Amino acid sequence: MTSITLTSTRAVFEPQGWSRVWALKRRIEVPLAGIRLVRRAPAGVGSGWWKGLRLPGTHLPGVIVAGSYLVEGQWEFWDVRGEGRSAIEVHLSGTRYSRLVVDVADPDAEVRRLQATLSGGR
């Protein structure tokens, strides 16, 4: 599970509990201006064997996908359990990661909150 904190200029994604261990990451900060798209992740996003080249992280298909993954020359960060039923996707530009796929407590509420922050800040 990942918590998201918003400031006037940045979004901070912080894996919680054991997610820090599995993902080998404490936090990711991105400028709000770098967020291009926020949406619910597609059904089954956590399933499947291949997420990309894992450097570093943890991957047990259908159980956990956590850490940094290199996909077609772009870095992605994942923190998803099971099939990812509570996951959101955050597409980025101009940052280290091109996409974040993270489980959150209330995906619909987080998507609305991020979208509202982005539309109010632009």
Side-chain angles (χ1 to χ4, degrees), residues 59-122:
H59 186 205
L60 297 169
V63 178
I64 184 172
V65 183
S68 298
Y69 291 78
L70 187 60
V71 180
E72 298 177 4
Q74 302 279 325
W75 285 102
E76 296 183 356
F77 177 81
W78 287 69
D79 181 18
V80 174
R81 300 298 174 278
E83 294 180 358
R85 288 190 177 109
S86 63
I88 65 169
E89 289 183 359
V90 181
H91 294 258
L92 305 164
S93 66
T95 67
R96 180 181 195 276
Y97 294 103
S98 64
R99 180 170 79 140
L100 309 177
V101 184
V102 296
D103 274 342
V104 294
D106 185 341
D108 292 325
E110 285 295 347
V111 167
R112 284 191 304 272
R113 186 169 75 104
L114 282 161
Q115 289 174 340
T117 299
L118 295 174
S119 64
R122 292 187 180 167

Side-chain angles (χ1 to χ4, degrees), residues 4-69:
I4 304 170
T5 304
L6 300 173
T7 70
S8 61
T9 60
R10 303 188 79 66
V12 181
F13 298 82
E14 294 180 290
Q16 302 296 300
W18 282 99
S19 289
R20 286 183 176 186
V21 175
W22 305 128
L24 299 169
K25 186 69 94 177
R26 295 183 77 118
R27 69 190 287 146
I28 296 170
E29 289 190 42
V30 297
L32 293 177
I35 298 176
R36 296 289 162 236
L37 173 70
V38 179
R39 67 180 181 187
R40 285 286 303 256
V45 72
S47 301
W49 283 94
W50 182 251
K51 299 296 181 223
L53 183 61
R54 182 179 64 237
L55 295 167
T58 305
H59 186 205
L60 297 169
V63 178
I64 184 172
V65 183
S68 298
Y69 291 78

